[in-house]
């Protein structure tokens, strides 16, 4: 009998009462690992009530004390790193080293949040008029919520919750129902770190829970990361209900390879960026644009060999380079795209559809796939596949390659590989994407910069983490103050101006 997960509300585990459940799988074996309670709107309401109750005290807590909670939270994540990484490998299927790296990237946002007393400092202008000082404060918003995807079960929740909580908000996290284990554990660790119960509540669920959060008038801000159709829905619904909203969405990241690039370096980069985490990364490279026929031919030949040799196996085996996909449903979807690419006339150079690691025949495994001669009209080029499928498009010039990237509906990350500084600089300045790598295949900005895409890859004005995170989870109050009160200005009927 699979275990039954619980919500984490008010500092303790709370069993689901809706009677609705989803199944969480072990993608390596294909077995059901746990039943995940799907919160009803009434259960969501109760979680929000708890967070709303915790807000005034937490908001009034000194930022230094909140920073100390963050320091302890950071230490607890470090102490529990192995457990968190193992949860990710078991529930998502990332190989352990990659799972650990993803927790580390989330941890870095907690480290950034440890500096919250400094980050929250306002502005002060002394004596802007006779006896008048002008200053601004950053104050928390209230209850914020985070709705997160399956592919980074620790990192993406940490992007949001660390900054939101450090800023003095309380937070209701609704992780992906496919692998909520890490989020539930982070809820416990936050309490162990000294945050009062209710500062971080975690509820598991599906659309019903999300819609209840988006429409609850006590929720002040919504931070979402997931697919583009859901991001659009979240953005429109939350905004219509008067909330601040940031919604990070899908991607189709291109790597442009210029003829002077070091092809061995490119092949190494493409193996990690295309097939790492089985391509289930919003910053994965899923399109390689080879500029010039000879670049394309060399790349095809060297890449095909490496993709065929990719070591696919259980994520806890240190020899595995790529684990299974998250669910059977997702595996079928990805394989369906490979079938579609063949029908559309793309050249399937490496076909990993039938790969099954020995002893794990029921797991959600497939091998790496490589398409060549993909054209911009094909659906395998236009749509996000989110699996270990790399599409090669051939371009005749730098301008044609740049134009391809710019015309694509998504604009999350992009990379250019070249030895030519002029070309790299020109590319960096003109390209229509939010995050650019120069000879760096996965340019995920560090926690003290911001993360966010352009076009259909993000909705809303604020990026994740960095100073955008602090701005998103606070609002500015500007105070104009006159001391001493003894200065008599007399009654004035015009707009106040400097005297
Ligand atoms: P998803 O959109 O299916 O789910 C994301 C969240 O939304 C989950 O918590 C889910 O429960 C909820 N949800 C799903 N359907 C919903 C609906 N109809 N109404 C309301 N809520 C709903 O995404 P996923 O499959 O979990 O994650 C993969 C996607 O996330 C990919 O498209 C990937 O590119 C994207 N992603 C983007 C970024 C980024 O920063 N741009 C980062 C990671 C993942």
């Amino acid at each position: 009998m699979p275990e039954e997960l619980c919500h984490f509300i008010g500092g303790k585990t709370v069993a689901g009462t809706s009677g609705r459940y989803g199944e969480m799988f072990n993608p390596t074996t294909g077995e059901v690992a746990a039943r995940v309670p799907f919160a009803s709107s009434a259960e969501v309401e109760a979680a929000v009530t708890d967070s709303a109750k915790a807000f005034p005290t937490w908001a009034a807590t000194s930022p230094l004390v909140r920073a100390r909670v963050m320091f302890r939270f950071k230490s607890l994540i470090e102490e529990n790193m192995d457990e968190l990484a193992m949860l990710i490998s078991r529930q998502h299927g990332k190989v352990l080293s990659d799972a650990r790296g993803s927790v580390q990237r989330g941890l870095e946002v907690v480290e950034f949040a440890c500096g919250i007393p400094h980050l929250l400092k306002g502005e002060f202008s002394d004596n802007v008029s006779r006896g008048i000082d002008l200053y601004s404060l950053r104050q928390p918003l209230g209850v914020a919520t985070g709705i997160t995807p399956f592919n980074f079960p620790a990192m993406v929740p940490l992007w949001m919750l660390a900054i939101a909580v450090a800023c003095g908000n309380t937070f209701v996290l609704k992780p992906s129902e496919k692998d909520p284990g890490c989020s539930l554990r982070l809820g416990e660790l936050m309490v162990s770190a000294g945050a009062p119960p209710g500062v971080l509540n975690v509820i598991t669920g599906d659309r019903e829970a999300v819609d209840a959060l988006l429409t609850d008038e006590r929720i002040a801000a919504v931070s979402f990361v997931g697919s583009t159709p859901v991001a659009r829905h979240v953005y429109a619904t939350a905004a219509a209900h008067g909330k601040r909203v940031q919604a990070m969405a899908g991607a189709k990241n291109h790597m442009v390879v210029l003829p002077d690039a070091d092809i061995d370096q490119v092949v190494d980069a493409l193996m990690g960026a295309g097939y790492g985490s089985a391509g289930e990364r919003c910053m994965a490279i899923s399109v390689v644009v080879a500029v010039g026929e000879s670049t394309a031919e060399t790349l095809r030949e060297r890449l095909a060999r490496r993709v065929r040799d990719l070591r696919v196996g259980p994520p806890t085996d240190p020899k595995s380079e790529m684990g299974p996909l998250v669910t059977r449903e997702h595996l079928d979807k990805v394989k369906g795209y490979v079938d579609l690419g063949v029908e559309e006339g793309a050249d399937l150079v490496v076909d990993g559809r039938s790969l099954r690691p020995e002893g794990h025949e029921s797991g959600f495994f497939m091998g790496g796939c490589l398409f060549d001669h993909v054209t911009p009209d094909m659906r395998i080029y236009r749509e996000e596949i989110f699996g270990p499928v790399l599409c090669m498009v051939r371009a005749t010039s730098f301008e044609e390659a740049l134009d391809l990237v710019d015309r694509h509906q998504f604009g999350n990350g992009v990379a250019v590989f070249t030895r030519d500084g002029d070309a790299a600089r020109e590319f960096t300045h003109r390209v229509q994407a939010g995050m650019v790598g120069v000879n760096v295949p996965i340019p995920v900005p560090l926690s003290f910069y911001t993360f966010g895409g352009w076009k259909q890859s993000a909705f809303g004005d604020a990026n994740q983490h960095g100073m955008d995170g602090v701005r998103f989870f606070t609002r500015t109050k500007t105070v104009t103050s006159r001391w001493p009160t003894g200065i008599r200005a007399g009654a004035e009927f015009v707009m106040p101006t400097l005297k």
Side-chain angles (χ1 to χ4, degrees):
M1 190 61 184
E3 75 166 307
E4 193 169 310
L5 301 186
C6 290
H7 309 295
F8 185 79
I9 302 169
K12 49 186 192 302
T13 53
V14 175
T17 55
S18 72
R20 291 200 311 124
Y21 292 89
E23 288 177 328
M24 186 182 80
F25 295 93
N26 176 340
T28 306
T29 62
E31 285 160 4
V32 176
R35 293 200 330 144
V36 179
F38 282 0
S40 63
S41 34
E43 287 171 289
V44 171
E45 212 181 300
V48 177
T49 301
D50 189 72
S51 294
K53 212 166 72 207
F55 172 69
T57 309
W58 185 241
T61 303
S62 159
L64 276 84
V65 173
R66 298 201 300 257
R68 284 176 198 145
V69 170
M70 284 298 141
F71 273 110
R72 285 194 292 271
F73 187 49
K74 163 188 149 57
S75 300
L76 286 170
I77 293 173
E78 283 165 341
E79 282 165 30
N80 291 278
M81 178 71 90
D82 288 344
E83 184 200 337
L84 291 167
M86 188 56 88
L87 277 173
I88 296 174
S89 285
R90 290 224 179 98
Q91 299 180 2
H92 172 285
K94 276 185 209 289
V95 298
L96 258 179
S97 52
D98 184 34
R100 181 180 275 276
S102 73
V103 181
Q104 177 62 32
R105 292 305 298 262
L107 180 66
E108 288 165 10
V109 181
V110 181
E111 289 170 348
F112 174 74
C114 287
I116 206 68
H118 175 72
L119 298 170
L120 285 179
K121 282 195 304 198
E123 304 157 309
F124 191 95
S125 298
D126 172 47
N127 211 31
V128 290
S129 187
R130 270 191 311 151
I132 293 185
D133 303 327
L134 182 59
Y135 62 96
S136 65
L137 313 171
R138 289 201 168 280
Q139 294 190 325
L141 305 171
V143 186
T145 186
I147 299 150
T148 56
F150 78 82
N151 66 321
F152 281 106
M155 182 185 84
V156 170
L158 286 169
W159 279 359
M160 311 166 170
L161 72 88
I163 297 181
V165 165
C167 286
N169 302 282
T170 54
F171 199 80
V172 180
L173 174 63
K174 206 302 285 170
S176 169
E177 61 277 35
K178 296 187 177 112
D179 49 12
C182 269
S183 289
L184 292 164
R185 192 74 186 100
L186 290 173
E188 291 169 356
L189 295 181
M190 184 64 90
V191 171
S192 306
V199 165
L200 174 60
N201 284 333
V202 186
I203 46 167
T204 59
D206 63 351
R207 182 178 183 146
E208 181 175 341
V210 172
D211 285 344
L213 288 166
L214 300 181
T215 52
D216 190 311
E217 60 181 24
R218 295 162 302 169
I219 298 277
V222 177
S223 183
F224 172 88
V225 176
S227 61
T228 294
V230 183
R232 265 201 210 100
H233 164 71
V234 167
Y235 183 69
T237 312
H241 285 80
K243 300 178 195 321
R244 201 174 269 204
V245 47
Q246 58 179 179
M248 277 57 209
K252 193 86 178 176
N253 306 312
H254 293 51
M255 180 198 284
V256 172
V257 181
L258 297 182
D260 66 344
D262 175 337
I263 295 293
D264 287 325
Q265 188 195 16
V266 167
V267 171
D268 280 341
L270 279 172
M271 289 308 297
Y275 302 98
S277 193
E280 295 165 323
R281 287 186 186 135
C282 66
M283 290 294 275
I285 295 289
S286 47
V287 176
V288 53
V289 184
V291 177
E293 280 303 301
S294 108
T295 312
E297 286 303 322
T298 318
L299 197 52
R300 172 186 173 131
E301 196 254 11
R302 293 192 205 173
L303 198 53
R305 227 181 309 139
R306 294 280 296 274
V307 180
R308 281 191 200 102
D309 289 347
L310 194 62
R311 292 197 301 265
V312 181
T316 48
D317 180 343
K319 290 195 290 302
S320 301
E321 292 168 325
M322 188 176 108
L325 276 74
V326 69
T327 56
R328 160 103 27 222
E329 190 189 355
H330 189 58
L331 175 71
D332 290 345
K333 179 179 157 196
V334 172
K335 284 188 183 172
Y337 268 111
V338 182
D339 300 344
L340 175 69
V342 174
E343 276 165 40
E344 288 182 308
D347 178 4
L348 184 57
V349 183
V350 182
D351 180 0
R353 279 173 295 183
S354 57
L355 184 140
R356 305 260 179 294
E358 213 184 309
H360 299 282
E361 288 75 8
S362 305
F364 309 141
F365 290 95
M366 66 182 283
C369 296
L370 175 66
F371 277 112
D372 190 7
H373 295 289
V374 174
T375 53
D377 54 310
M378 294 178 183
R379 277 184 55 202
I380 58 161
Y381 174 77
R382 287 185 280 125
E383 298 173 17
E384 182 181 44
I385 300 175
F386 219 56
V389 182
L390 182 61
C391 296
M392 180 145 81
V393 180
R394 296 178 176 223
T396 54
S397 65
F398 172 88
E399 288 296 333
E400 191 187 328
L402 185 61
D403 190 51
L404 267 173
V405 181
D406 291 353
R407 279 190 292 119
H408 203 283
Q409 62 163 325
F410 295 119
N412 211 39
V414 68
V416 62
F417 273 64
T418 178
R419 291 179 167 109
D420 179 343
D422 278 352
R425 190 169 186 281
E426 179 83 3
F427 184 88
T428 306
H429 277 255
R430 286 173 55 195
V431 74
Q432 300 295 303
M435 293 167 282
V436 186
V438 178
N439 299 313
V440 172
I442 310 184
V444 177
L446 287 168
S447 61
F448 41 99
Y449 280 75
T450 73
F451 182 108
W454 288 11
K455 299 186 273 184
Q456 299 300 304
S457 293
F459 305 91
D461 303 323
N463 279 356
Q464 294 282 346
H465 61 68
M467 279 314 290
D468 264 18
V470 177
R471 283 185 210 106
F472 183 76
F473 287 114
T474 54
R475 53 187 162 185
T476 307
K477 184 179 279 176
T478 313
V479 181
T480 308
S481 153
R482 171 182 282 145
W483 290 103
T485 50
I487 298 174
R488 291 286 306 275
E492 292 191 4
F493 300 94
V494 295
M495 270 301 280
T497 52
L498 181 66
K499 298 207 178 63

